[in-house]
Amino acid sequence: MADRSSGDERAIDQARAAAGREAWAEAYALLRDVDVDHLGPDDLAVLADAAWWNSRVEESVEARTRAYSGYAAAGADRQAGFTAWMLHYEYQLAGRTAAAAGWLGRARRHLADEPECVEQCYLAWVEAEEAQRRGAFDEAMSCAGRMAGIARRCGSADLVAMSTQAQASVLLAEGRVAAGLALLDDAMCSAMAGELSSLFTGWLYCLGLQQCMACADLERAVEWTDAAMAWCASMPAENNYRGLCRVHQCEVLELCGDWPRAETEAALSVPELLPYEARVAAEAIYLTAGIQRRRGDLAAAEASCARAHELGRDPQPGLALLRLAQGKAESAAAALRLAVAGGDGGARVGRCRLLAAQVEVSLALGELDRARTAAEELESITREWQQRCESGTTVLHATAAAARGAVAFAEKEPERALPLLHRALALWLELGVPYEAAQVRMTLAAADRAAGDAEGARLELQAARAVFERLGAAPDARRAAALLSDVRHRLPGELTEREAEVLRLVAAGRTNRSIASELVISEHTVARHLNNIFAKLDVPSRAAATAYAYTHGLA
């Protein structure tokens, strides 16, 4: 290391103090102008961290690599091992798996002969994740437990919390959902309570939110997303986790119907994420495509799907639903058949979204067998999930009920469809997911009409149209308005206008003679209308007809 000038010495001292306060923008500004040859390994590590927090990933890797070389040359194996592990992590985030594996190997060599130290937690964590990916859950839990033991004995609150998250991850992957979510909540509370450093607070929020969404636990996701975003807002502007947390917030906002905010957050997250997390940025773009499609901006949705695909995000099922909206149902069906056939059965939420889209597209084409098969698989996944999870209503339950109800209605079984659709509607309303609830109302309205309940159909269509208009889902709002107009012109029970007039007067307590006089028709004609009314409504008497009139808004 070359001799430092007094100015460099002062800048380095100030940067160390700024890093101690986690004032990363200040630390970066102080160190970026210092001759890199004047920086020792510890100062290079500070520069690497400061660059990372300011989304300067390439600079971070360059500085950390120099720090590693300095530690290795000095024989500082613990510091070299940790720095190598961090380089493994940064290369892994960038999708450079060969480089990541190389640095992990170096981390293991440096730490292999060291007495127990906190840096060995990182190796145990990697081993837990590797075993989990192989499905060796007992081994994974043992590694996570070893990580927890080392962290406690070394007094690292950060790594104790991360080991709890690692154990939760193993339990969730194994299907022990209730136990896994309980541990996840414990770890997340450490972050929310301010017990951890900024690095690990953001780390836990990102991993926890990802797992909540993977579990289709929207209620948990909403709660922890709010906490994560409150933390981000309390951090300096250079907080590097802001983009990651925004994407999870976008998912929640989109489901909860706050589309303007979801689009705004997605637009903000993309430039924050592209330098180091292009695949996560692609997720934000994909979410935006779904909102654009529902609003009827199909050209913009097409461009967003293409961009998300370019960045590595599979555009299905959103692209298939876009093709359906464009009137290209056959193209949509072909794409979904391939996606469903090649889908990962372990990714429950992703698989269920594919299956729900397949139900929708298949029904549009009249392919009842394919729609039924997809709905049955959805139901099977949900039943299995219910056995494993004690967390109550999830998106999976609502999705499965809606699909089964739509298929039952398409099979011309409104009596079977109605309870399923009512259950789906109740679940979506309980979850606070307005667009999906409104879509179920549309199917429910059709089932009500098929069952002869025109008034029920009208109420569902009115409610659906109001939601679509509020969300800005213009194509759906137009469809609801057209169907509503049709329902209003159709009288319950297929009554004619004259029969409806007679029924209203009967319900008002008028006699046949009085009705004949008011309508200027004969009593015989009134009697004939009444016989037709009784037959069409399947009622035996004037009293029953009167009750029907009040029930269906004719009186």
Side-chain angles (χ1 to χ4, degrees):
M1 185 174 65
D3 292 337
R4 297 170 175 169
S5 68
S6 59
D8 283 350
E9 289 282 5
R10 190 164 48 254
I12 290 167
D13 289 341
Q14 291 173 346
R16 289 171 181 169
R21 301 191 309 273
E22 296 188 337
W24 298 111
E26 181 184 343
Y28 177 77
L30 287 162
L31 290 177
R32 69 183 173 187
D33 295 327
V34 173
D35 186 336
V36 71
D37 292 330
H38 293 175
L39 298 176
D42 289 344
D43 299 320
L44 286 164
V46 169
L47 175 58
D49 290 340
W52 187 85
W53 279 101
N54 284 275
S55 297
R56 298 175 181 274
V57 178
E58 290 183 7
E59 290 182 45
S60 172
V61 169
E62 181 182 352
R64 207 176 301 280
T65 303
R66 284 176 171 269
Y68 166 79
S69 297
Y71 288 132
D77 281 320
R78 282 182 58 182
Q79 294 90 332
F82 171 72
T83 306
W85 190 92
M86 286 299 295
L87 285 164
H88 147 75
Y89 179 71
E90 289 195 277
Y91 277 115
Q92 190 177 56
L93 280 181
R96 297 177 61 181
T97 54
W103 283 110
L104 180 59
R106 289 194 174 198
R108 284 173 167 152
R109 287 197 298 275
H110 282 291
L111 297 171
D113 297 326
E114 289 293 304
E116 182 176 272
C117 57
V118 72
E119 289 81 7
Q120 290 166 349
C121 288
Y122 296 94
L123 298 182
W125 186 12
V126 170
E127 289 163 10
E129 290 182 332
E130 288 175 344
Q132 180 180 314
R133 280 194 292 272
R134 297 196 311 271
F137 298 120
D138 288 344
E139 180 186 343
M141 189 59 80
S142 175
C143 293
R146 178 156 48 87
M147 176 186 176
I150 296 171
R152 288 193 191 94
R153 288 189 292 273
C154 293
S156 172
D158 284 341
L159 288 164
V160 167
M162 195 58 78
S163 69
T164 303
Q165 188 281 328
Q167 292 173 75
S169 179
V170 175
L171 291 171
L172 292 172
E174 192 177 3
R176 296 163 63 186
V177 179
L181 289 174
L183 278 182
L184 181 62
D185 288 343
D186 184 2
M188 297 286 271
C189 282
S190 300
M192 186 172 68
E195 298 170 359
L196 313 177
S197 68
S198 297
L199 176 67
F200 282 87
T201 297
W203 215 336
L204 270 171
Y205 275 135
C206 286
L207 291 172
L209 291 171
Q210 207 170 21
Q211 288 168 328
C212 287
M213 294 306 290
C215 290
D217 194 328
L218 182 58
E219 185 177 356
R220 254 190 183 84
V222 169
E223 190 170 341
W224 289 126
T225 298
D226 289 344
M229 293 310 296
W231 172 75
C232 283
S234 73
M235 292 289 291
E238 69 270 14
N239 172 16
N240 208 27
Y241 281 113
R242 195 180 297 270
L244 291 166
C245 290
R246 279 194 209 279
V247 173
H248 298 305
Q249 187 186 35
C250 291
E251 293 181 275
V252 169
L253 290 171
E254 186 266 338
L255 281 169
C256 294
D258 195 344
W259 293 355
R261 278 186 66 205
E263 285 188 293
T264 298
E265 294 296 328
L268 290 169
S269 72
V270 170
E272 292 171 337
L273 290 166
L274 276 175
Y276 68 103
E277 278 281 16
R279 286 171 293 183
V280 183
E283 190 64 33
I285 296 167
Y286 176 82
L287 286 166
T288 300
I291 295 172
Q292 291 164 334
R293 169 177 56 80
R294 289 168 172 177
R295 283 187 167 152
D297 192 349
L298 303 187
E302 176 113 35
S304 295
C305 279
R307 178 64 172 147
H309 180 257
E310 178 188 336
L311 292 172
R313 207 287 184 193
D314 182 350
Q316 299 300 350
L319 184 57
L321 294 173
L322 173 61
R323 293 287 176 254
L324 183 63
Q326 292 169 330
K328 302 173 183 176
E330 291 287 354
S331 173
L336 279 176
R337 282 195 291 272
L338 291 172
V340 169
D344 177 7
R348 291 181 193 86
V349 174
R351 179 74 179 171
C352 287
R353 285 172 177 160
L354 282 173
L355 292 168
Q358 188 168 54
V359 169
E360 184 175 346
V361 172
S362 298
L363 290 178
L365 288 168
E367 297 177 349
L368 291 184
D369 288 344
R370 194 180 300 278
R372 188 185 308 108
T373 299
E376 287 170 354
E377 185 181 343
L378 256 174
E379 176 64 16
S380 174
I381 292 172
T382 305
R383 273 199 308 270
E384 179 190 3
W385 187 252
Q386 185 66 51
Q387 291 168 359
R388 295 177 173 183
C389 184
E390 299 168 7
S391 61
T393 301
T394 71
V395 170
L396 300 185
H397 296 85
T399 302
R404 288 164 55 219
V407 171
F409 174 66
E411 292 175 330
K412 303 190 186 310
E413 297 183 26
E415 295 80 7
R416 186 163 63 90
L418 283 167
L420 289 168
L421 292 169
H422 279 295
R423 171 167 168 70
L425 176 59
L427 292 174
W428 284 125
L429 291 175
E430 180 185 340
L431 288 166
V433 181
Y435 180 81
E436 302 296 346
Q439 288 284 29
V440 171
R441 286 190 188 277
M442 297 289 282
T443 310
L444 193 50
D448 281 338
R449 285 180 64 174
D453 184 5
E455 181 65 12
R458 183 179 65 80
L459 291 172
E460 299 297 355
L461 289 169
Q462 282 180 334
R465 183 180 66 173
V467 170
F468 291 142
E469 288 176 346
R470 176 174 62 79
L471 293 173
D476 292 301
R478 287 193 295 270
R479 185 163 61 95
L483 291 171
L484 186 58
S485 176
D486 187 40
V487 166
R488 282 172 172 163
H489 288 89
R490 288 194 182 192
L491 293 164
E494 301 299 324
L495 297 176
T496 65
E497 290 289 346
R498 176 62 86 184
E499 287 164 351
E501 285 182 293
V502 171
L503 180 56
R504 290 189 188 97
L505 293 170
V506 168
R510 307 285 285 276
T511 64
N512 283 12
R513 178 175 294 180
S514 173
I515 293 169
S517 175
E518 178 157 337
L519 298 180
V520 194
I521 55 177
S522 68
E523 286 187 55
H524 174 74
T525 301
V526 172
R528 179 167 54 79
H529 284 318
L530 274 175
N531 286 334
N532 290 339
I533 291 167
F534 292 165
K536 287 181 177 181
L537 304 185
D538 193 23
V539 296
S541 64
R542 296 172 81 95
T546 296
Y548 184 97
Y550 278 103
T551 301
H552 291 79
L554 293 173

